[in-house]
Amino acid sequence: MTTPTTHHSAVADTTPQELESTLAAAQAAAAPLAVSRPDQRAGWLRAVADALDGAADDLVPVAMEESGLPEPRLRGEVARSSGQLRMFADALAEGSLLEVVIDTADPQATPVPRPDLRRMLVPLGPVLVFAASNFPFAFSVCGGDTASALAAGCPVVVKAHPGHPRTSIRTADAMARALADAGAPDGALGLVLGFDTGVAALRDPRIRASGFTGSVPAGKALHEIAANRDEPIPFYGELGSLNPVFVLPAAARQRGPEIAQGYAGSFTLGVGQFCTKPGLLFLPAGHGLQDDLVAAASGVPTATMLNERIHAGYTGGVAELRKRAGLQEWVHGDESGSQASATLLRTTVPELLDDVDVVLEECFGPTSIVVEYADHDELLAAASAFGGNLTATVHAEEQDGEQVSSLLPLLQERAGRVVWNGWPTGVAVSWAMHHGGPFPATVGSIHTSVGVTAARRFQRPVCFQDTPARHLPQALHDTNTLGLSRRIDGTVTRDDVPTEGEHR
Amino acid sequence: MTTPTTHHSAVADTTPQELESTLAAAQAAAAPLAVSRPDQRAGWLRAVADALDGAADDLVPVAMEESGLPEPRLRGEVARSSGQLRMFADALAEGSLLEVVIDTADPQATPVPRPDLRRMLVPLGPVLVFAASNFPFAFSVCGGDTASALAAGCPVVVKAHPGHPRTSIRTADAMARALADAGAPDGALGLVLGFDTGVAALRDPRIRASGFTGSVPAGKALHEIAANRDEPIPFYGELGSLNPVFVLPAAARQRGPEIAQGYAGSFTLGVGQFCTKPGLLFLPAGHGLQDDLVAAASGVPTATMLNERIHAGYTGGVAELRKRAGLQEWVHGDESGSQASATLLRTTVPELLDDVDVVLEECFGPTSIVVEYADHDELLAAASAFGGNLTATVHAEEQDGEQVSSLLPLLQERAGRVVWNGWPTGVAVSWAMHHGGPFPATVGSIHTSVGVTAARRFQRPVCFQDTPARHLPQALHDTNTLGLSRRIDGTVTRDDVPTEGEHR
């Protein structure tokens, strides 16, 4: 890894002295955040959400200039980010985010009597968030990693992505002001810039966990730094994903042109710069859809990529693919200037299996590969060749049922989300969403970076044994004054703890 | 790390060929386990629990011979282990272990419509469990790591501890027979022996996660192997803990002799070979309890330690402590042969803070240090000097309230479980228990190795988007045929999914 250059280099890196004061402030904020009540924290998150919505007119034009992304997309990202903060606020108020579990004393338990045990999740402490380039809001300063860490009660230090430094600074300013006005502890949110600064912060003992969205090599290198510290810390990295789409025969026959159109729209969305971009489309041989696919992909307008580094990486990657003997080029895109138009490639399963190291590597930008399979066995062989992915998509009709039954277990094993008759781009923010997957989709496949349980990455349990109410956090009192959802003696309820007389 | 020697070396290490066939069998079992229903898995766990109870008369004498531990303790461990398996079976049947979350489609959601999303936890695949020496059942072949991984639906390969190889083999045989008789897939449980075998297994790509209980150096070395694989895997290590006990002034005045007695019993329990052994007891200066403490510690009978390696480690560790200028020896234990009796040491907070590297290092065996504090500021300074611990204990009366209020936040930050007016040895198996803590107590403080959520370490979420019922796992169907506890549109219920007409 080297320091990336950007075409917006007017913003200076954070100095070591500035980093020190940011880390010290985060450290100082950890204790007051840890003892804050869930309803207080919910209020702070709502204040930040309102501030983001209010600042959209100020933030979006800067992000447009820095990222080249269009206004509606960026406005959507701000709305998504504020909505996400409100979702975490709701989950705090409802209580599930704290996972309160109370087992009342059981003197009759065998082999030994059981004491009164009251457990809840508490924050890990300062979290370092490495922002992504491709979503200047939704996976950057105000994105899911920051929102979930703040919801958990952790101070957050964001390492800005060099692709949009001024957007990052303005976003952090708006958020920090809202936090201060709402009464959150000083130091709850900090921002640092610069590659070396990020690595120094990751090595600092005050940082207790880290979230990252970016490339496989950068993610692996940072993961090793985190794991090999004197005191290892959890590192949650979202790295690379191919997001294959498997079209089964009946679906190809019945909805071919519609599938071609949807596919071209999905793999070129945001100039192909989505972590959920479909990198491969499996079609039955003899599908007869070449003309539809070529027309759909050719019809997508040329657009500006996020920054020079990504454009250069894409240009190199797609050039490498064009050289492969096993790949035919159906649509030849143009990568001149800082822009790109769609490139569509075509191969067969045997050719793909012959060249997996190159063909099954993510190429970040508006290219995708149509892979033709001769029969179902070939399709299963291809599915088995994949490593971990964020998503896997199936297009099928009822007549494809038998083939689906043998394909789905392979996909479940390799992907975090299975999409049916749809497209993987677009990640709803909700309780049930999972955005994660086996390596290399993420380091840490047991976690999600989107959805309520994303906060768990930054929380650890603490159990109080036989501790009197006057020394317990309010969430653990017999009387459920905060109205939290809690598990009491094995059952989830929003009631008070039953007294001994009522209970047994 | 070197290959440990044991006084029961009649059992040969697993050969590379045997390891290969064990790993291949585990790999083959992964797919059928992943599609097993929760009620099936619950049945398999109950069958294993019954088999353990039934085999106790056969297993306990072997474990007594290999570990030197007394019969009642070992029978208690078997009962604890079978009870733990039944707890996981209950949580599977109740459904919480799968964490089913269903968000029904919401075409009105902003900024974009939401598809139907159905998420549940699925197993990671084969898990490697490094068994501990000090609990030949409860933290060994049939312990919490194995039980929680099987509950999660993962095949388990146990690396036996060299301190009790024959107990390990017999336990694994009884469990594997019960699994086979109950219809679980072949290869659901395997056992391997030998240090090199364990390292080779940890490096094998078929192993998807690992649990470990043991020393800090061994745990750190294995963690680095797991993190630096081509495909990193989660490594859950329980390493070292000092488990300090803080006695506040009023408690020392009112219950001094009782505290002295309880302390001596706790730090010598199991010949001091508990991961929750209280390694330090903080008492106010002028406590006047020296005679009580000396009498209580001297009254504990000499007992045999687990094995030669642990005895040698303890002998070296306690000799090092005796040499420290700042430590006085109140009771001089005897470490001749393979036995040990209690050693009680005494120091002050300033002396401790002068020598933290040695005094704040776990010494595994029947020794503990009384630390006298001059005032509350000294007590807080001492509490702040600790790293992560499994437990921290407070003895206090109502008059100590103010001091408790400043001490507890420091303990919550550093410990996984806070014990009030009790002793840390003894870990109840229940929903609310937390057995874990910040590093070096564990690698991975967000997880527990005891209690229902221990299974989460071996599960990852999968989300199905818009997938028809005929291709969904039964747990995700609209109709809740398995009677599981599920979160539907944000609310936990055991009902069916509401139809659109009923719902909005």
Side-chain angles (χ1 to χ4, degrees):
Chain A
M1 295 190 301
T2 55
T3 308
T5 57
T6 115
H7 41 215
H8 308 289
S9 49
V11 181
D13 282 2
T14 300
T15 65
Q17 293 72 28
E18 288 166 342
L19 173 63
E20 172 54 35
S21 80
T22 302
L23 291 171
Q27 171 81 346
L33 272 170
V35 298
S36 62
R37 291 193 318 271
D39 53 316
Q40 290 177 303
R41 249 185 270 160
W44 301 334
L45 296 180
R46 291 190 211 283
V48 174
D50 293 345
L52 281 176
D53 287 341
D57 289 346
D58 173 42
L59 298 172
V60 166
V62 184
M64 287 169 67
E65 194 191 320
E66 289 189 311
S67 70
L69 292 171
E71 178 171 352
R73 148 72 188 274
L74 290 167
R75 287 204 178 265
E77 273 194 51
V78 173
R80 177 201 169 90
S81 302
S82 60
Q84 182 164 253
L85 285 157
R86 293 188 187 102
M87 175 191 74
F88 281 115
D90 290 346
L92 273 165
E94 186 259 357
S96 297
L97 207 115
L98 300 183
E99 285 192 10
V100 172
V101 183
I102 297 175
D103 289 332
T104 56
D106 183 357
Q108 266 76 55
T110 54
V112 284
R114 194 180 68 202
D116 181 279
L117 295 168
R118 296 176 188 234
R119 169 196 191 271
M120 65 184 285
L121 300 184
V122 300
L124 285 184
V127 168
L128 177 65
V129 171
F130 288 87
S133 64
N134 57 340
F135 287 83
F137 298 108
F139 286 84
S140 187
V141 178
C142 60
D145 283 349
T146 300
S148 57
L150 285 175
C154 298
V156 174
V157 176
V158 179
K159 189 268 177 190
H161 194 279
H164 50 269
R166 290 181 297 124
T167 306
S168 301
I169 291 169
R170 290 199 189 200
T171 306
D173 282 350
M175 294 174 74
R177 223 171 16 246
L179 286 166
D181 290 350
D186 284 347
L189 180 73
L191 182 79
V192 298
L193 295 99
F195 173 80
D196 293 338
T197 315
V199 171
L202 186 60
R203 292 204 164 109
D204 193 282
R206 288 166 289 194
I207 292 295
R208 317 295 297 179
S210 181
F212 167 88
T213 310
S215 73
V216 176
K220 275 211 79 166
L222 294 173
H223 173 61
E224 287 182 16
I225 290 173
N228 297 340
R229 287 167 37 132
D230 281 347
E231 181 172 339
I233 55 169
F235 178 83
Y236 307 106
E238 186 196 317
L239 313 185
S241 185
L242 292 160
N243 310 298
V245 179
F246 300 87
V247 183
L248 296 182
R253 278 194 308 273
Q254 293 177 33
R255 295 188 281 112
E258 178 197 327
I259 288 170
Q261 205 64 49
Y263 167 59
S266 185
F267 88 76
T268 61
L269 193 66
V271 207
Q273 300 162 124
F274 270 49
C275 40
T276 51
K277 178 197 84 170
L280 303 105
L281 181 82
F282 287 88
L283 281 174
H287 51 77
L289 295 170
Q290 181 174 353
D291 291 349
D292 296 283
L293 288 159
V294 167
S298 308
V300 179
T302 299
T304 306
M305 295 196 75
L306 286 164
N307 57 53
E308 283 170 16
R309 185 163 142 269
I310 284 177
H311 186 266
Y314 175 64
T315 303
V318 77
E320 179 63 32
L321 289 173
R322 287 180 183 131
K323 279 194 290 194
R324 308 314 289 183
L327 295 183
Q328 275 177 274
E329 196 169 23
W330 277 359
V331 177
H332 181 92
D334 174 23
E335 292 90 38
S336 53
S338 57
Q339 300 200 307
S341 60
T343 286
L344 185 64
L345 301 156
R346 176 264 178 199
T347 191
T348 63
V349 169
E351 298 276 8
L352 177 146
L353 294 177
D354 251 19
D355 200 13
V356 284
D357 286 351
V358 171
V359 180
L360 294 190
E361 190 171 323
E362 187 179 12
C363 180
F364 198 70
T367 190
S368 190
I369 305 171
V370 173
V371 187
E372 297 174 357
Y373 60 91
D375 54 30
H376 193 61
D377 283 347
E378 271 199 12
L379 192 66
L380 296 181
S384 304
F386 283 88
N389 275 279
L390 293 170
T391 70
T393 298
V394 177
H395 279 271
E397 296 299 321
E398 245 186 292
Q399 304 97 294
D400 297 312
E402 205 174 312
Q403 288 95 315
V404 171
S405 299
S406 51
L407 178 63
L408 268 188
L410 297 179
L411 304 188
Q412 174 180 315
E413 204 180 316
R414 288 164 175 80
R417 179 164 55 110
V418 174
V419 180
W420 184 268
N421 287 354
W423 300 100
T425 39
V427 181
V429 177
S430 81
W431 273 100
M433 176 48 70
H434 178 51
H435 192 60
F439 188 86
T442 71
V443 180
S445 69
I446 73 172
H447 296 287
T448 182
S449 61
V450 175
V452 175
T453 54
R456 268 188 203 164
R457 299 176 297 165
F458 306 118
Q459 298 175 291
R460 65 181 181 85
V462 168
C463 175
F464 293 89
Q465 177 171 326
D466 286 335
T467 307
R470 64 184 182 279
H471 294 302
L472 285 174
Q474 200 173 339
L476 301 183
H477 287 185
D478 279 358
T479 308
N480 190 9
T481 42
L482 297 169
L484 305 176
S485 175
R486 314 191 291 183
R487 184 180 294 273
I488 301 175
D489 290 327
T491 303
V492 175
T493 168
R494 296 182 83 158
D495 295 343
D496 297 344
V497 172
T499 64
E500 215 178 307
E502 286 165 335
H503 180 52
R504 285 205 180 76
Chain B
M1 293 191 301
T2 55
T3 308
T5 56
T6 113
H7 41 216
H8 307 288
S9 50
V11 181
D13 282 0
T14 300
T15 65
Q17 293 71 27
E18 287 165 342
L19 173 62
E20 173 54 36
S21 80
T22 302
L23 291 171
Q27 171 81 348
L33 271 170
V35 297
S36 63
R37 290 195 319 273
D39 54 315
Q40 290 176 304
R41 249 184 268 158
W44 300 335
L45 295 180
R46 289 188 213 284
V48 174
D50 294 345
L52 281 175
D53 287 341
D57 288 347
D58 172 44
L59 298 173
V60 166
V62 183
M64 287 169 67
E65 194 192 319
E66 288 189 312
S67 71
L69 292 170
E71 178 171 352
R73 148 74 189 271
L74 291 167
R75 288 203 176 265
E77 274 194 52
V78 173
R80 175 200 170 92
S81 303
S82 59
Q84 183 164 252
L85 286 157
R86 292 187 188 102
M87 175 192 73
F88 282 114
D90 291 346
L92 274 165
E94 185 260 357
S96 297
L97 207 116
L98 300 184
E99 286 192 9
V100 172
V101 183
I102 297 174
D103 290 332
T104 56
D106 182 358
Q108 266 75 54
T110 56
V112 283
R114 194 179 67 202
D116 180 280
L117 296 167
R118 298 178 185 231
R119 171 196 189 269
M120 64 184 285
L121 299 182
V122 300
L124 285 184
V127 168
L128 177 66
V129 171
F130 288 88
S133 65
N134 57 340
F135 286 84
F137 298 108
F139 286 83
S140 187
V141 178
C142 60
D145 283 349
T146 301
S148 56
L150 286 176
C154 297
V156 174
V157 175
V158 180
K159 189 267 176 190
H161 195 279
H164 50 269
R166 290 182 296 124
T167 306
S168 301
I169 292 169
R170 289 199 190 200
T171 306
D173 282 350
M175 295 173 75
R177 225 174 10 248
L179 286 166
D181 290 350
D186 284 348
L189 180 73
L191 183 78
V192 297
L193 295 99
F195 173 82
D196 294 337
T197 315
V199 171
L202 186 60
R203 293 203 163 108
D204 193 282
R206 288 166 289 194
I207 292 296
R208 317 296 297 178
S210 180
F212 167 87
T213 309
S215 73
V216 176
K220 275 211 78 165
L222 293 173
H223 173 61
E224 288 182 16
I225 290 173
N228 298 340
R229 287 166 39 133
D230 281 346
E231 181 172 338
I233 55 169
F235 178 82
Y236 307 105
E238 186 196 319
L239 312 185
S241 185
L242 291 160
N243 308 298
V245 178
F246 300 87
V247 183
L248 295 182
R253 278 194 309 273
Q254 292 177 33
R255 296 187 280 111
E258 179 197 324
I259 288 171
Q261 204 65 47
Y263 168 58
S266 185
F267 89 76
T268 61
L269 193 66
V271 207
Q273 300 162 123
F274 269 50
C275 40
T276 51
K277 178 198 84 170
L280 302 104
L281 181 81
F282 288 87
L283 280 174
H287 52 77
L289 295 171
Q290 181 174 350
D291 290 350
D292 295 283
L293 287 159
V294 168
S298 308
V300 180
T302 301
T304 305
M305 294 194 76
L306 286 163
N307 57 55
E308 282 169 18
R309 183 165 143 267
I310 284 178
H311 187 266
Y314 175 65
T315 304
V318 78
E320 179 63 32
L321 287 173
R322 286 180 184 132
K323 279 194 288 192
R324 310 313 290 182
L327 295 181
Q328 276 178 275
E329 196 169 23
W330 277 0
V331 176
H332 181 92
D334 174 24
E335 293 89 40
S336 53
S338 57
Q339 300 201 306
S341 59
T343 286
L344 185 64
L345 301 155
R346 176 264 178 200
T347 191
T348 63
V349 169
E351 299 275 8
L352 176 148
L353 294 177
D354 252 18
D355 200 14
V356 284
D357 286 352
V358 172
V359 179
L360 294 191
E361 191 171 322
E362 187 179 12
C363 181
F364 199 70
T367 189
S368 190
I369 304 171
V370 173
V371 187
E372 296 175 358
Y373 60 91
D375 54 31
H376 193 60
D377 284 347
E378 271 200 11
L379 191 65
L380 296 181
S384 304
F386 283 88
N389 275 279
L390 293 170
T391 71
T393 298
V394 177
H395 278 270
E397 296 298 321
E398 246 184 291
Q399 305 97 293
D400 296 311
E402 205 173 314
Q403 288 96 315
V404 170
S405 299
S406 52
L407 178 62
L408 267 188
L410 298 178
L411 303 188
Q412 174 180 314
E413 205 181 317
R414 288 167 174 80
R417 179 164 54 110
V418 174
V419 179
W420 184 268
N421 287 354
W423 300 100
T425 39
V427 180
V429 177
S430 80
W431 272 99
M433 176 48 70
H434 178 52
H435 192 61
F439 188 86
T442 69
V443 179
S445 68
I446 73 171
H447 296 286
T448 183
S449 61
V450 175
V452 174
T453 54
R456 271 190 202 162
R457 299 176 296 166
F458 307 116
Q459 297 175 292
R460 66 182 181 86
V462 168
C463 175
F464 294 89
Q465 177 171 326
D466 286 335
T467 309
R470 63 184 183 278
H471 293 302
L472 286 174
Q474 199 173 340
L476 300 183
H477 287 185
D478 280 357
T479 308
N480 190 9
T481 42
L482 296 169
L484 305 176
S485 175
R486 313 191 292 183
R487 183 180 295 273
I488 301 174
D489 290 328
T491 304
V492 175
T493 169
R494 297 182 82 158
D495 294 345
D496 296 346
V497 172
T499 64
E500 218 178 304
E502 286 166 338
H503 180 52
R504 286 204 181 78

